[in-house]
Amino acid sequence: MSKQLETFKSNLEEFASKHKQEIRKNPQFRVQFQEMCATIGVDPLASGKGFWSEMLGVGDFYYELGVQIIEVCLALKHRNGGLITLDELHQRVLKGRGKYAQDVSQDDLVRAIKKLKVMGNGFGMIPVGGSYLVQSVPAELNMDHTVVLQLAEKKGFVTVSEITDSLKWEKERAGHVLDHLLKEGLAWLDSQAAGEPQYWLPALFSELTSRDVTPEEANQMTP
Amino acid sequence: MDRFSWSNGLLEINETLVIQQRGVRLYDGDDKAKLDVGVALLSTHRLIWRDIKNHECCIAMPLSQIIYFEEQAAGIGKSAKIVIHLHPSPTNKEPGPYQNSKYSHIKLSFKEHGQIEFHRRLTEEMTQKRWENTPASQPIPTGTGPQTGRTRAVGIVGIERKIEEKRKETDKNICEAFEDLSKLMVKAKEMVELSRSIANKIKEKQGDITEDETIRFKSYLLSMGIANPVTRETYGSGTHYHMQLAKQLGDMLQAPLEERGGMMALTEVYCLVNRARGMELLSPEDLLNACKVFEQLKLPVRLRVFDSGVMVVQLQSHSEEEMIASALDNVSDKGSLTAEEFAKLLGLSVLLSKERLLLAEKMGHLCRDDSVEGLRFYPNLF
C-alpha cells in the first residue's frame, strides 16, 4: 500500500500547487471539496497530520476557526447561557478575525463546529427559524425544549399561553420546559410584563434591542 | 448614490429582513460617499443602509433598481467590495442624500468582512425577486420606464459585457480546479477501497500481520483521513504521531494546569495549544487521540470524562479524594454554594467547578437544592 500512498501523495501535491489558493479564497470550492470527500469516505479535517491538511492547508483554516468559535461562545456565555444564533456567532467571529483575515462563510462555521463536538463540551446545532442556534454547553435539550426555542424565535420571547395555544400542550408540560430553560440560564423571566410573564431568550436578542453586558455587570444584577 | 431615498428603516408588512452586516461604507461610483461607516441591511424588497452612530440617518433603495452586481476582491489596505450597477431613478423617486450623481453604480465596502454571505443572499433575493410577489404596502417605483430606454443602451451594456468576460475567465479557472478536484477524488476513492481490503485481511489473518505493519497501516489511514475500518474508532491510539503529541502535551500542560487548580476542559486545552502553535494546528481529534494515550505512556496528566460528557485534562497528582474533600470544606464553610460562587472562590471555570460539586454529590458528601433560581449545594446531613 505504501507505493500507492506515495503516488497519491504526489498527485495531491500537484493539485495543491495549482489550486491551493482556490481552497483558501473560494468558499463554494471549499463546500464542494468537503462534500466530495464525504462521499468517498474521507475526512480531510480529521487530523492536522493528514495529507489534506498538510498540503492544502485546509486544516489550519478550520482549526483556527474552531478556536475563535470557542472563544466567542465562552465570552458570551454569561449573557446567553451558552446558546447563540449562527448569525450572531458569524458576525462576532468576523469582527474578532480583523480586517486582514480571510472571510469565512456560515458553512465554514458549521463544519468547524461539527469538529468541535468530539471534545465533549456540548457543542451542537439546533435548527430554528430557517437558520441554527449553536449550543456550546452540555445542557440537556430534548425535542420539547427545541420546539419551544423555535416558537420563541420570532419575537425573542414566549409565554405559557402561546405554547399551550400553538403546540396544544398542557400548562404543566409548558411550565416544565420553561423552568428547565430558566435553570440552565438560557431564558430570563420578565414577571412584570403586561398580561402574563414572558420568557425571554438572550440568544435570540437582535442587535436592535440589546446592549452588551460585561461579566462584572452581569454578576451585579440580582438573579 | 442618487438612487437612494431617505427612509425610516422600518420594514413594511410582507417585507422580511434577510441579512444585515455592520462595518459597511458606501461609495458613489468609485468615490467614497459623504457618509460614515454603517450597517447594510438586505430585505426581500430593498437595500437599506443606516449610519451606526446616528440611527436617524437611514436610506433605502428598492432591489428592482439593481441591474447587475459583482464582487471586488480585497487588496492590500482595501476591503472587499460588492459593486452594484443600477437603473436610472424613476421620476417619482423620494428625495435622498444625493440629488444627482455622475455614476450609475455604487459600491458596498465591507470593512468588517461579511461580503461572502451578503453576496450570496443578495444573489438569492435577486433571483427569487420576492418583492414582485408580495408588494410592500408602499408602492415601490421600479427602475424601468420608457424614457430611460435610450441612455441605458451604451454605457451599461458595455459595462455588463466587461463583467461577463471577467466572469467567464474566473469561471474557466474554477472549472479547471473542479475538474482536477474530481480526478483527485477518483484516486482518493481507490485509496479508500484499498485500505478496506487491507483491513479485512488484517481481521482474517490476525497472526500473519506484524504489530509494526499494523501501526504503519494506521498511520496511512491517518494521512488519508480514513476512519479505521476495523475498529471503527478514530484511528487514534497506536500511531506514533499521537504518542509523540501526548508526550509534548504532558510537558506543555504542567504549568497551565497548576495555575488552574489542576484541571482544564479539553476545549480550553485546544485553544491554549493551538494559540501557542500559531500554525500546523491540531485538529480536535488529534488532541483527543493524544489525550487517550496519556495513561498508556504513564504521563503525569490524564484525560477524564464526566457523566455529563464534559472532557477534562487533569494532573495525575490531583487526586479525587482531595478534590471532593476541598469541595465539602468550601461548601460547609459557606453553608451552601452554587457552581458560580464556587468558581469564583477557587478561580476555576464555572463548568469545572460544577463538575466537582456534582462529583462530591455523587459520592454522597453534598446534596442539592434544585430550583428555578439555580442549583445550590449543601453538605449532606442525611
Side-chain angles (χ1 to χ4, degrees):
Chain A
M1 179 168 177
S2 48
K3 213 166 28 158
Q4 266 101 330
L5 207 71
E6 282 308 314
T7 319
F8 182 78
K9 201 171 158 192
S10 61
N11 283 329
L12 186 56
E13 266 168 351
E14 202 189 315
F15 179 85
S17 65
K18 282 162 72 181
H19 303 297
K20 188 168 175 174
Q21 288 304 321
E22 214 59 60
I23 294 234
R24 279 223 287 270
K25 295 202 160 156
N26 187 334
Q28 282 97 333
F29 195 71
R30 279 201 291 277
V31 170
Q32 191 69 331
F33 169 73
Q34 294 274 18
E35 289 184 352
M36 284 176 143
C37 283
T39 315
I40 62 174
V42 160
D43 182 1
L45 298 182
S47 171
K49 205 74 171 91
F51 287 158
W52 309 99
S53 185
E54 286 187 330
M55 286 187 248
L56 292 180
V58 243
D60 278 9
F61 177 83
Y62 286 98
Y63 307 148
E64 188 184 5
L65 194 50
V67 172
Q68 289 160 347
I69 291 170
I70 292 172
E71 290 178 343
V72 166
C73 288
L74 214 57
L76 292 174
K77 199 166 85 151
H78 66 278
R79 189 181 89 141
N80 59 30
L83 208 60
I84 186 175
T85 57
L86 187 58
D87 276 338
E88 188 181 354
L89 180 62
H90 186 219
Q91 294 276 351
R92 292 195 184 249
V93 164
L94 283 179
K95 203 155 160 217
R97 280 168 75 88
K99 286 172 67 129
Y100 301 107
Q102 201 73 43
D103 197 2
V104 296
S105 67
Q106 288 195 354
D107 182 83
D108 292 328
L109 287 178
V110 169
R111 289 186 196 275
I113 291 170
K114 283 204 179 122
K115 281 286 138 198
L116 292 179
K117 278 183 166 175
V118 308
M119 293 194 290
N121 254 57
F123 269 92
M125 312 233 313
I126 303 171
V128 148
S131 176
Y132 292 99
L133 280 177
V134 176
Q135 182 182 350
S136 58
V137 286
E140 280 220 19
L141 294 182
N142 60 29
M143 286 297 298
D144 274 6
H145 302 123
T146 312
V147 155
V148 168
L149 286 176
Q150 289 165 342
L151 194 58
E153 196 257 342
K154 283 231 152 47
K155 296 186 287 186
F157 72 90
V158 76
T159 61
V160 175
S161 319
E162 279 170 14
I163 298 178
T164 52
D165 286 342
S166 25
L167 300 175
K168 309 279 182 264
W169 290 356
E170 298 94 40
K171 256 180 112 170
E172 234 184 52
R173 185 174 171 190
H176 207 63
V177 168
L178 291 171
D179 276 350
H180 182 80
L181 293 177
L182 274 181
K183 255 200 325 211
E184 292 293 340
L186 300 175
W188 294 357
L189 176 60
D190 179 7
S191 44
Q192 292 175 349
E196 60 177 303
Q198 296 172 342
Y199 292 77
W200 287 80
L201 285 120
L204 301 174
F205 287 174
S206 70
E207 277 267 348
L208 305 171
T209 58
S210 72
R211 176 184 78 91
D212 255 330
V213 174
T214 62
E216 291 73 28
E217 282 176 293
N219 281 338
Q220 281 163 20
M221 295 177 182
T222 48
Chain B
M1 276 299 295
D2 61 345
R3 315 300 201 259
F4 276 106
S5 304
W6 292 113
S7 163
N8 56 16
L10 297 177
L11 298 178
E12 307 291 337
I13 306 182
N14 291 328
E15 184 181 10
T16 325
L17 181 66
V18 172
I19 186 174
Q20 65 186 31
Q21 178 61 49
R22 309 161 41 108
V24 175
R25 180 190 284 287
L26 293 174
Y27 281 65
D28 176 29
D30 296 322
D31 307 328
K32 281 190 188 161
K34 48 179 177 149
L35 296 164
D36 289 320
V37 178
V39 184
L41 300 104
L42 174 68
S43 79
T44 44
H45 292 60
R46 296 177 289 170
L47 177 63
I48 304 170
W49 181 93
R50 175 177 27 235
D51 188 316
I52 260 192
K53 297 198 199 91
N54 176 15
H55 283 212
E56 304 263 302
C57 175
C58 182
I59 55 179
M61 157 169 47
L63 291 180
S64 51
Q65 288 284 124
I66 298 178
I67 305 173
Y68 201 93
F69 60 96
E70 56 161 352
E71 289 176 281
Q72 188 179 320
I76 307 196
K78 293 189 182 155
S79 313
K81 299 178 176 59
I82 295 180
V83 183
I84 307 182
H85 297 268
L86 304 162
H87 290 295
S89 298
T91 41
N92 62 347
K93 171 187 152 297
E94 300 285 326
Y98 280 65
Q99 277 273 43
N100 42 40
S101 160
K102 58 181 178 175
Y103 295 101
S104 51
H105 68 280
I106 60 166
K107 297 190 192 181
L108 303 180
S109 173
F110 290 82
K111 313 209 83 62
E112 291 179 26
H113 292 301
Q115 73 276 6
I116 297 181
E117 276 305 314
F118 206 91
H119 184 268
R120 181 170 80 83
R121 301 293 182 95
L122 185 56
T123 311
E124 264 174 36
E125 292 309 316
M126 293 303 294
T127 315
Q128 288 177 19
K129 292 191 168 38
R130 287 194 268 178
W131 69 85
E132 285 177 1
N133 305 333
T134 54
S137 55
Q138 252 177 28
I140 296 182
T142 56
T144 49
Q147 72 273 30
T148 60
R150 283 227 56 185
T151 28
R152 274 183 58 199
V154 179
I156 293 184
V157 165
I159 294 173
E160 281 183 324
R161 200 181 301 134
K162 245 197 283 179
I163 295 173
E164 191 55 32
E165 278 171 20
K166 194 169 132 208
R167 187 165 282 269
K168 281 210 183 96
E169 179 67 41
T170 324
D171 273 352
K172 196 168 113 247
N173 291 339
I174 304 252
C175 271
E176 205 190 306
F178 275 122
E179 264 176 46
D180 286 348
L181 181 64
S182 305
K183 286 187 202 138
L184 188 70
M185 287 299 166
V186 166
K187 302 211 173 84
K189 184 149 188 215
E190 287 169 14
M191 298 296 297
V192 173
E193 277 158 16
L194 181 60
S195 73
R196 281 209 191 116
S197 65
I198 294 183
N200 281 333
K201 287 201 194 116
I202 291 182
K203 228 178 7 170
E204 289 160 19
K205 321 186 219 176
Q206 287 289 17
D208 277 26
I209 314 282
T210 68
E211 173 87 18
D212 224 25
E213 285 174 340
T214 316
I215 291 186
R216 208 143 35 108
F217 179 59
K218 281 190 182 165
S219 74
Y220 293 158
L221 295 181
L222 187 68
S223 304
M224 285 296 302
I226 303 173
N228 188 333
V230 178
T231 63
R232 292 274 149 219
E233 67 170 32
T234 41
Y235 39 83
S237 38
T239 71
H240 290 142
Y241 172 59
H242 290 116
M243 304 240 183
Q244 263 181 343
L245 198 49
K247 289 187 197 139
Q248 280 174 21
L249 288 171
D251 279 336
M252 178 188 191
L253 294 175
Q254 288 276 2
L257 281 171
E258 301 272 351
E259 283 168 30
R260 289 164 178 74
M263 199 190 271
M264 278 172 77
L266 201 55
T267 44
E268 268 184 83
V269 174
Y270 176 78
C271 290
L272 190 76
V273 169
N274 276 339
R275 283 255 176 244
R277 284 186 146 217
M279 25 187 281
E280 290 185 9
L281 305 180
L282 298 183
S283 76
E285 270 148 288
D286 283 337
L287 180 59
L288 183 62
N289 289 323
C291 290
K292 281 184 179 164
V293 295
F294 280 155
E295 181 146 5
Q296 191 183 333
L297 295 176
K298 304 209 192 316
L299 292 167
V301 288
R302 289 286 187 276
L303 177 68
R304 192 219 176 100
V305 183
F306 287 109
D307 291 340
S308 60
V310 171
M311 297 185 187
V312 300
V313 173
Q314 69 184 43
L315 283 174
Q316 183 58 349
S317 59
H318 232 80
S319 75
E320 187 127 316
E321 294 92 38
E322 256 183 53
M323 280 203 290
I324 296 178
S326 109
L328 182 56
D329 277 343
N330 283 302
V331 172
S332 310
D333 212 27
K334 302 278 177 190
S336 72
L337 282 178
T338 62
E340 288 82 13
E341 292 163 358
F342 192 39
K344 243 199 231 161
L345 258 177
L346 253 55
L348 276 184
S349 74
V350 176
L351 189 72
L352 294 186
S353 69
K354 185 169 177 190
E355 291 299 336
R356 283 207 191 176
L357 291 171
L358 288 174
L359 190 64
E361 182 197 34
K362 193 167 161 188
M363 296 297 159
H365 298 284
L366 295 177
C367 61
R368 66 169 60 192
D369 172 21
D370 207 349
S371 72
V372 164
E373 284 175 12
L375 185 56
R376 187 170 279 280
F377 289 89
Y378 291 82
N380 186 1
L381 303 171
F382 291 110

CSV table of all heavy atoms in Angstrom, one decimal, chain B residues 144-175:
chain,number,residue,atom,x,y,z
B,144,THR,N,-37.5,50.6,-14.5
B,144,THR,CA,-37.7,50.7,-16.0
B,144,THR,C,-38.8,51.6,-16.3
B,144,THR,O,-39.9,51.7,-15.7
B,144,THR,CB,-38.1,49.3,-16.5
B,144,THR,OG1,-39.2,48.8,-15.7
B,144,THR,CG2,-36.9,48.3,-16.4
B,145,GLY,N,-38.6,52.4,-17.4
B,145,GLY,CA,-39.6,53.4,-17.9
B,145,GLY,C,-39.2,53.7,-19.3
B,145,GLY,O,-38.1,53.6,-19.6
B,146,PRO,N,-40.2,54.1,-20.0
B,146,PRO,CA,-39.9,54.4,-21.5
B,146,PRO,C,-38.8,55.4,-21.6
B,146,PRO,O,-37.9,55.3,-22.5
B,146,PRO,CB,-41.2,54.8,-22.1
B,146,PRO,CG,-42.1,55.2,-20.9
B,146,PRO,CD,-41.6,54.4,-19.7
B,147,GLN,N,-38.7,56.4,-20.8
B,147,GLN,CA,-37.7,57.5,-21.0
B,147,GLN,C,-36.3,57.1,-20.7
B,147,GLN,O,-35.4,57.7,-21.1
B,147,GLN,CB,-38.1,58.8,-20.2
B,147,GLN,CG,-37.9,58.6,-18.7
B,147,GLN,CD,-39.1,58.1,-18.0
B,147,GLN,OE1,-39.8,57.3,-18.6
B,147,GLN,NE2,-39.3,58.4,-16.8
B,148,THR,N,-36.2,56.0,-20.0
B,148,THR,CA,-34.9,55.6,-19.6
B,148,THR,C,-34.2,54.6,-20.6
B,148,THR,O,-33.1,54.3,-20.5
B,148,THR,CB,-34.9,54.8,-18.2
B,148,THR,OG1,-35.7,53.7,-18.4
B,148,THR,CG2,-35.5,55.7,-17.2
B,149,GLY,N,-35.0,54.2,-21.6
B,149,GLY,CA,-34.5,53.2,-22.5
B,149,GLY,C,-33.2,53.6,-23.2
B,149,GLY,O,-32.3,52.8,-23.2
B,150,ARG,N,-33.2,54.7,-23.8
B,150,ARG,CA,-32.0,55.1,-24.7
B,150,ARG,C,-30.7,55.2,-23.9
B,150,ARG,O,-29.7,54.6,-24.3
B,150,ARG,CB,-32.3,56.4,-25.3
B,150,ARG,CG,-33.3,56.3,-26.5
B,150,ARG,CD,-32.9,57.0,-27.7
B,150,ARG,NE,-31.5,56.6,-28.1
B,150,ARG,CZ,-30.8,57.2,-29.0
B,150,ARG,NH1,-31.3,58.2,-29.7
B,150,ARG,NH2,-29.6,56.7,-29.4
B,151,THR,N,-30.7,56.0,-22.8
B,151,THR,CA,-29.5,56.2,-22.1
B,151,THR,C,-28.9,54.9,-21.6
B,151,THR,O,-27.7,54.8,-21.4
B,151,THR,CB,-29.7,57.2,-20.9
B,151,THR,OG1,-31.0,57.0,-20.4
B,151,THR,CG2,-29.4,58.6,-21.3
B,152,ARG,N,-29.7,53.9,-21.3
B,152,ARG,CA,-29.1,52.7,-20.8
B,152,ARG,C,-28.2,52.0,-21.8
B,152,ARG,O,-27.2,51.5,-21.5
B,152,ARG,CB,-30.3,51.7,-20.5
B,152,ARG,CG,-30.9,51.9,-19.1
B,152,ARG,CD,-31.9,50.8,-18.9
B,152,ARG,NE,-31.4,49.5,-19.0
B,152,ARG,CZ,-32.1,48.4,-19.3
B,152,ARG,NH1,-33.4,48.5,-19.4
B,152,ARG,NH2,-31.5,47.2,-19.4
B,153,ALA,N,-28.7,52.0,-23.0
B,153,ALA,CA,-28.1,51.1,-24.0
B,153,ALA,C,-26.6,51.1,-24.0
B,153,ALA,O,-25.9,50.1,-23.8
B,153,ALA,CB,-28.6,51.4,-25.4
B,154,VAL,N,-25.9,52.2,-24.2
B,154,VAL,CA,-24.5,52.2,-24.5
B,154,VAL,C,-23.7,51.9,-23.2
B,154,VAL,O,-23.1,50.9,-23.1
B,154,VAL,CB,-24.0,53.6,-25.1
B,154,VAL,CG1,-22.6,53.6,-25.3
B,154,VAL,CG2,-24.8,53.9,-26.3
B,155,GLY,N,-23.7,52.8,-22.3
B,155,GLY,CA,-22.8,52.7,-21.1
B,155,GLY,C,-23.0,51.4,-20.4
B,155,GLY,O,-22.0,50.7,-20.1
B,156,ILE,N,-24.2,51.1,-20.0
B,156,ILE,CA,-24.4,49.9,-19.1
B,156,ILE,C,-24.1,48.6,-19.9
B,156,ILE,O,-23.5,47.7,-19.3
B,156,ILE,CB,-25.8,50.0,-18.5
B,156,ILE,CG1,-25.8,51.2,-17.6
B,156,ILE,CG2,-26.0,48.7,-17.8
B,156,ILE,CD1,-27.1,51.3,-16.8
B,157,VAL,N,-24.5,48.6,-21.1
B,157,VAL,CA,-24.2,47.3,-21.8
B,157,VAL,C,-22.7,47.0,-21.9
B,157,VAL,O,-22.3,45.9,-21.8
B,157,VAL,CB,-24.9,47.4,-23.2
B,157,VAL,CG1,-24.3,46.3,-24.1
B,157,VAL,CG2,-26.4,47.2,-23.1
B,158,GLY,N,-22.0,48.1,-22.1
B,158,GLY,CA,-20.5,48.0,-22.2
B,158,GLY,C,-20.0,47.4,-20.9
B,158,GLY,O,-19.1,46.5,-20.9
B,159,ILE,N,-20.5,48.0,-19.8
B,159,ILE,CA,-20.0,47.5,-18.5
B,159,ILE,C,-20.4,46.0,-18.3
B,159,ILE,O,-19.6,45.2,-17.9
B,159,ILE,CB,-20.7,48.3,-17.4
B,159,ILE,CG1,-20.2,49.8,-17.5
B,159,ILE,CG2,-20.4,47.7,-16.0
B,159,ILE,CD1,-20.9,50.7,-16.5
B,160,GLU,N,-21.6,45.7,-18.7
B,160,GLU,CA,-22.1,44.4,-18.5
B,160,GLU,C,-21.2,43.4,-19.2
B,160,GLU,O,-20.9,42.3,-18.8
B,160,GLU,CB,-23.6,44.2,-19.0
B,160,GLU,CG,-24.6,44.8,-17.9
B,160,GLU,CD,-26.0,44.6,-18.4
B,160,GLU,OE1,-26.3,44.7,-19.6
B,160,GLU,OE2,-26.8,44.3,-17.5
B,161,ARG,N,-20.9,43.8,-20.5
B,161,ARG,CA,-20.1,42.9,-21.3
B,161,ARG,C,-18.7,42.6,-20.6
B,161,ARG,O,-18.2,41.5,-20.6
B,161,ARG,CB,-19.9,43.5,-22.7
B,161,ARG,CG,-19.5,42.4,-23.7
B,161,ARG,CD,-19.2,42.9,-25.1
B,161,ARG,NE,-20.4,43.6,-25.6
B,161,ARG,CZ,-20.4,44.8,-26.2
B,161,ARG,NH1,-19.2,45.4,-26.4
B,161,ARG,NH2,-21.5,45.4,-26.7
B,162,LYS,N,-18.1,43.7,-20.1
B,162,LYS,CA,-16.8,43.5,-19.5
B,162,LYS,C,-16.9,42.6,-18.3
B,162,LYS,O,-16.0,41.7,-18.0
B,162,LYS,CB,-16.2,44.9,-19.0
B,162,LYS,CG,-15.0,45.3,-19.7
B,162,LYS,CD,-14.2,46.4,-19.1
B,162,LYS,CE,-14.8,47.7,-19.3
B,162,LYS,NZ,-14.1,48.8,-18.6
B,163,ILE,N,-18.0,42.8,-17.5
B,163,ILE,CA,-18.2,42.0,-16.3
B,163,ILE,C,-18.3,40.5,-16.7
B,163,ILE,O,-17.8,39.6,-16.1
B,163,ILE,CB,-19.4,42.5,-15.5
B,163,ILE,CG1,-19.2,43.8,-14.9
B,163,ILE,CG2,-19.7,41.5,-14.4
B,163,ILE,CD1,-20.4,44.4,-14.3
B,164,GLU,N,-19.1,40.3,-17.8
B,164,GLU,CA,-19.4,39.0,-18.3
B,164,GLU,C,-18.1,38.3,-18.7
B,164,GLU,O,-17.9,37.1,-18.4
B,164,GLU,CB,-20.4,39.1,-19.5
B,164,GLU,CG,-20.9,37.7,-19.9
B,164,GLU,CD,-21.6,37.0,-18.8
B,164,GLU,OE1,-22.1,37.6,-17.8
B,164,GLU,OE2,-21.5,35.7,-18.7
B,165,GLU,N,-17.2,39.0,-19.4
B,165,GLU,CA,-15.9,38.5,-19.8
B,165,GLU,C,-15.1,38.0,-18.6
B,165,GLU,O,-14.5,36.9,-18.6
B,165,GLU,CB,-15.1,39.5,-20.6
B,165,GLU,CG,-15.6,39.5,-22.1
B,165,GLU,CD,-14.9,40.7,-22.8
B,165,GLU,OE1,-13.9,41.2,-22.3
B,165,GLU,OE2,-15.5,41.1,-23.8
B,166,LYS,N,-15.0,38.9,-17.6
B,166,LYS,CA,-14.2,38.6,-16.5
B,166,LYS,C,-14.8,37.4,-15.7
B,166,LYS,O,-14.0,36.5,-15.3
B,166,LYS,CB,-14.2,39.8,-15.5
B,166,LYS,CG,-13.1,39.7,-14.5
B,166,LYS,CD,-12.9,41.0,-13.7
B,166,LYS,CE,-12.9,40.7,-12.2
B,166,LYS,NZ,-13.4,41.7,-11.4
B,167,ARG,N,-16.1,37.3,-15.7
B,167,ARG,CA,-16.8,36.2,-15.1
B,167,ARG,C,-16.4,34.9,-15.8
B,167,ARG,O,-16.2,33.9,-15.2
B,167,ARG,CB,-18.3,36.5,-15.0
B,167,ARG,CG,-19.0,35.5,-14.3
B,167,ARG,CD,-20.4,36.0,-14.0
B,167,ARG,NE,-20.4,37.0,-12.9
B,167,ARG,CZ,-20.6,36.7,-11.7
B,167,ARG,NH1,-20.8,35.5,-11.3
B,167,ARG,NH2,-20.5,37.7,-10.8
B,168,LYS,N,-16.4,35.0,-17.1
B,168,LYS,CA,-16.1,33.7,-17.9
B,168,LYS,C,-14.7,33.3,-17.6
B,168,LYS,O,-14.5,32.1,-17.4
B,168,LYS,CB,-16.2,34.0,-19.4
B,168,LYS,CG,-17.7,34.1,-19.9
B,168,LYS,CD,-17.7,33.6,-21.4
B,168,LYS,CE,-19.1,33.7,-21.9
B,168,LYS,NZ,-19.4,35.0,-22.6
B,169,GLU,N,-13.8,34.2,-17.5
B,169,GLU,CA,-12.4,33.9,-17.2
B,169,GLU,C,-12.3,33.2,-15.8
B,169,GLU,O,-11.6,32.2,-15.7
B,169,GLU,CB,-11.5,35.2,-17.2
B,169,GLU,CG,-10.1,35.0,-16.9
B,169,GLU,CD,-9.4,34.2,-18.0
B,169,GLU,OE1,-9.6,34.4,-19.2
B,169,GLU,OE2,-8.5,33.3,-17.6
B,170,THR,N,-12.9,33.8,-14.8
B,170,THR,CA,-12.9,33.2,-13.5
B,170,THR,C,-13.6,31.9,-13.5
B,170,THR,O,-13.0,30.9,-12.9
B,170,THR,CB,-13.7,34.1,-12.5
B,170,THR,OG1,-13.4,35.5,-12.8
B,170,THR,CG2,-13.2,33.9,-11.1
B,171,ASP,N,-14.7,31.8,-14.2
B,171,ASP,CA,-15.4,30.5,-14.3
B,171,ASP,C,-14.5,29.5,-14.9
B,171,ASP,O,-14.5,28.3,-14.4
B,171,ASP,CB,-16.6,30.7,-15.2
B,171,ASP,CG,-17.8,31.1,-14.4
B,171,ASP,OD1,-17.7,31.2,-13.1
B,171,ASP,OD2,-18.9,31.4,-15.0
B,172,LYS,N,-13.7,29.8,-15.9
B,172,LYS,CA,-12.8,28.8,-16.5
B,172,LYS,C,-11.8,28.3,-15.5
B,172,LYS,O,-11.6,27.1,-15.4
B,172,LYS,CB,-12.1,29.5,-17.7
B,172,LYS,CG,-11.5,28.5,-18.6
B,172,LYS,CD,-11.0,29.1,-19.9
B,172,LYS,CE,-9.5,29.1,-20.0
B,172,LYS,NZ,-8.5,29.8,-19.9
B,173,ASN,N,-11.3,29.2,-14.7
B,173,ASN,CA,-10.3,28.8,-13.7
B,173,ASN,C,-10.9,27.8,-12.7
B,173,ASN,O,-10.4,26.8,-12.3
B,173,ASN,CB,-9.7,30.0,-12.9
B,173,ASN,CG,-8.8,30.8,-13.8
B,173,ASN,OD1,-8.3,30.3,-14.8
B,173,ASN,ND2,-8.6,32.1,-13.5
B,174,ILE,N,-12.2,28.2,-12.3
B,174,ILE,CA,-12.9,27.4,-11.3
B,174,ILE,C,-13.2,26.0,-11.9
B,174,ILE,O,-13.0,25.0,-11.3
B,174,ILE,CB,-14.2,28.0,-10.9
B,174,ILE,CG1,-13.9,29.4,-10.3
B,174,ILE,CG2,-14.9,27.1,-9.9
B,174,ILE,CD1,-14.1,29.5,-8.9
B,175,CYS,N,-13.6,26.0,-13.2
B,175,CYS,CA,-13.9,24.8,-13.9
B,175,CYS,C,-12.7,23.9,-13.8
B,175,CYS,O,-12.8,22.7,-13.5
B,175,CYS,CB,-14.3,25.0,-15.3
B,175,CYS,SG,-16.1,25.3,-15.5
